[in-house]
Each structure stands twice: as structure tokens, then as C-alpha cells.
Amino acid sequence: LHQIRHMIGAALAVAHGHSQVDLIQIGLSSPFEVDVAPLAPGCGLLLDEIRWFHPAGEDEVVFSQTTHDAARLLKEETIYPHIHSLYQKDQVLESFLEQTKERYFMDGAAETARAHDRLRAVFADWQEQRIRSAELRRARMGEDDDDDDDSKAQDDGTGQNDSNDDFQNDSQSDGQKEGQKEGQDGTRDAGSKGRSRSGDVGR
């Protein structure tokens, strides 16, 4: 909520020496809830331009240069002076900076400095833990790859043995088939001879 105003408040806090850039970086790059972006006054918030984009990336509505010039003239002659008058009235910006210093950063108090130092130390520990976790994950992935290679090598060896066994079984089967065929042929020959002899004897 109020994203733009918080961004402007953070920039003003850094520009006026109430906060440090690294605290904002910690808030943006870590899961820690770091509240160093005070809410800037809303009187300076201005919707400068609206653009409609086509899914292909092109502008659906394109205003002419005359329209842009008219809008720029309106802002320079009317809107900007009005915003400036709002800031001057009741000293809005000065009041915001004073409240920021007191509520967010306590005017550079020692406890604020210690809190910031603790935040930096916790952030450093968190970064080291992330690095160690990433190294452990890479190590586990490497072990898993080695196990997969070993399993593949064993599977290849087993497959080769299975192929040899299948070849031997096929060879044995062929030999058995040939032996059975020869035995059948011998039986036929013997039977024919027996019938011939019987015929001879009968004659």
C-alpha cells in the first residue's frame, strides 16, 4: 500500500542523513521486515502519464505532440505551483522530515545505531547460511549424479550378462531342436526299414 510514497520517503530519509542505503538494500534483498521507508506526504503525488499497451508491446493509444505539449504546459503553469503551495503551507516537508527522524530513526540515538548494527550482523549470518545451504545442495546433487552413474554402469553390465545368457539359451534351444529333428528322422528311417523287412519276410 502507498508504494510510491514509501519509495519517496526512503529516498528522502537517505538524502537527509536519517537512514543508510545498505539498510534499504537489506530490506529489499532479504525476508526481514525492515521498516526504513517512511510514508511521504501525499500532496506531492502526481499521476504524470497514462499509457495503454497492446499485448504485442505497442501503445494502443498514441497522443499527438500537440497533446503532450498542452499537458506539459498545464503542469508547469497550474499543477506544479499548486503542489509547491501545498508543501509551503504548514511546512509539510519539514514536518515530515522531523517526524521521520523522531519516529523511525530517533535522531541518530545510540539504540538506533545498535539496532542497525544488529540488523547488519543478522543479515550477514543469513547470507552465510544461504551460501552453505547452496553448497550442500550442490554436493547432494553431485552425489546423486554419482549414484545414477553407478546404477547405470551396473545396469549395463547386467544387461550384457543377460544378453550372453539369452545367446546361450538360444544356442542350446537350437541344438536341442536339431537333435530332436535328427532323432525323429532316425525313427522314420528305422520305421521304413522295419516295414521293408516285414514286407520281405512276408513275401
Side-chain angles (χ1 to χ4, degrees), residues 1-159:
L1 187 63
H2 304 305
Q3 176 184 354
I4 303 301
R5 292 174 63 186
H6 279 295
M7 292 170 61
I8 297 300
L12 289 172
V14 172
H16 288 268
H18 301 324
S19 181
Q20 290 78 38
V21 175
D22 67 319
L23 299 178
I24 298 176
Q25 292 174 340
I26 291 174
L28 293 175
S29 61
S30 73
F32 307 138
E33 296 183 0
V34 183
D35 189 5
V36 290
L39 185 63
C43 61
L45 190 63
L46 171 65
L47 179 60
D48 185 68
E49 184 181 8
I50 299 177
R51 298 179 64 181
W52 290 271
F53 293 96
H54 190 272
E58 301 177 353
D59 290 336
E60 289 187 352
V61 178
V62 179
F63 296 101
S64 64
Q65 186 60 43
T66 303
T67 302
H68 284 288
D69 293 339
R72 178 178 54 80
L73 187 61
L74 175 65
K75 288 185 286 187
E76 292 177 353
E77 294 183 351
T78 305
I79 298 178
Y80 292 157
H82 175 68
I83 291 176
H84 180 69
S85 67
L86 293 177
Y87 273 110
Q88 294 298 317
K89 182 182 178 180
D90 299 328
Q91 296 183 339
V92 175
L93 183 58
E94 289 77 5
S95 177
F96 162 74
L97 293 174
E98 188 65 27
Q99 292 176 4
T100 297
K101 184 170 58 175
E102 293 176 356
R103 296 181 181 179
Y104 279 81
F105 308 104
M106 292 181 286
D107 197 12
E111 55 266 28
T112 302
R114 286 195 295 270
H116 291 171
D117 290 339
R118 287 196 299 270
L119 175 62
R120 294 184 179 99
V122 171
F123 178 68
D125 292 340
W126 176 75
Q127 284 184 313
E128 292 179 1
Q129 184 177 359
R130 287 188 65 194
I131 294 173
R132 288 195 298 268
S133 299
E135 292 175 350
L136 289 174
R137 284 195 299 270
R138 285 194 293 268
R140 293 194 191 99
M141 291 176 63
E143 292 176 357
D144 293 340
D145 292 340
D146 293 339
D147 293 340
D148 293 340
D149 293 339
D150 294 339
S151 300
K152 184 177 180 180
Q154 293 176 1
D155 293 340
D156 292 342
T158 304

